[in-house]
Amino acid sequence: MREPVSPEKIRQFLQSVGKEVRFPCKIYLVGGTSLVFFGFREQTIDIDLALEVDDDHHQKLIEVIRRLKEDLHLNIEEANPADFIPLPKGWRERSPYVGTFGSVNVFHFDLYSMALSKMERGTEVDFEDIGALLQNGKIEWEKFVNFYQEILPEYGKKSLRQDATRIRRNFEILKRQIKTATE
């Protein structure tokens, strides 16, 4: 059985990766991992990551992460929002810096892209997470709407998983929830 992931476990994982990896790469914290790191949730079930590394080093990074997954008794998954939505322009520049661990630079994946991918999935927890990002000033509603409108024309063109009807419905649900919360 794997342990729940707390902010301390995330830091322990990042420090361990930094001690073992000897080449430059970027790790992006994604989804619930970022929410736990920010303190908006006490824990999550896994560490979700997106990786940016040269092809020459990709396999070595995966090997290190797999070993740490076992050593630290954690669930660790690759979960790139780009697998679920077209990414809005400028996502890298909007990815908040977490820190440098050895030769590994760590960021939160662009919070707007994360919120859009959570909206796309549309679970109750996903909507709560978006609400936490809004309430804590990590994202702004108007900018979120603009990024949604930016990606919508591309949504569904590259993947059968992307259902334009579902994302539009989920946007309307989220919009009603935000309106209700602000009244």
Side-chain angles (χ1 to χ4, degrees):
M1 178 97 181
R2 305 285 181 179
E3 297 179 25
V5 177
S6 63
E8 296 77 27
K9 285 286 187 182
I10 297 168
R11 285 185 194 87
Q12 181 184 15
F13 166 73
L14 295 174
Q15 290 166 349
S16 298
V17 170
K19 288 178 186 173
E20 293 199 35
V21 171
R22 302 283 179 236
F23 45 85
C25 65
K26 292 180 182 176
I27 292 178
Y28 294 89
L29 304 179
V30 179
T33 307
S34 288
L35 290 156
V36 168
F37 196 89
F38 289 138
F40 302 159
R41 280 200 214 163
E42 287 184 32
Q43 62 186 24
T44 187
I45 59 171
D46 54 16
I47 294 177
D48 289 331
L49 307 170
L51 307 173
E52 218 172 74
V53 60
D54 288 339
D55 290 341
D56 296 343
H57 300 296
H58 191 267
Q59 182 179 347
K60 178 64 177 166
L61 180 58
I62 295 297
E63 289 171 4
V64 168
I65 291 172
R66 278 193 178 125
R67 187 173 58 257
L68 291 173
K69 181 178 177 174
E70 295 305 316
D71 292 349
L72 300 174
H73 306 287
L74 297 170
N75 287 318
I76 301 173
E77 303 289 335
E78 281 188 86
N80 191 325
D83 294 338
F84 306 99
I85 62 164
L87 296 177
K89 292 179 184 92
W91 71 267
R92 277 187 185 85
E93 294 78 15
R94 286 189 307 277
S95 295
Y97 178 71
V98 173
T100 300
F101 299 82
S103 58
V104 180
N105 288 309
V106 179
F107 300 84
H108 294 286
F109 205 97
D110 169 40
L111 302 177
Y112 288 96
S113 296
M114 283 195 315
L116 288 165
S117 66
K118 284 182 162 292
M119 182 185 70
E120 188 273 341
R121 189 168 58 180
T123 69
E124 185 177 331
V125 171
D126 290 324
F127 288 143
E128 289 171 4
D129 289 346
I130 296 167
L133 291 169
L134 287 163
Q135 290 169 356
N136 289 284
K138 295 294 185 182
I139 63 173
E140 298 171 15
W141 177 248
E142 293 78 20
K143 286 183 182 179
F144 176 83
V145 171
N146 289 338
F147 289 128
Y148 165 70
Q149 291 170 343
E150 175 188 326
I151 69 164
L152 196 56
E154 296 303 311
Y155 192 81
K157 288 184 178 179
K158 296 181 182 175
S159 174
L160 289 172
R161 284 187 254 162
Q162 295 177 356
D163 179 347
T165 302
R166 183 180 65 229
I167 198 168
R168 283 185 181 101
R169 181 193 70 226
N170 289 352
F171 177 75
E172 292 302 320
I173 292 168
L174 179 64
K175 188 165 70 170
R176 282 192 302 273
Q177 288 182 357
I178 298 303
K179 184 179 179 192
T180 301
T182 58
E183 290 180 340

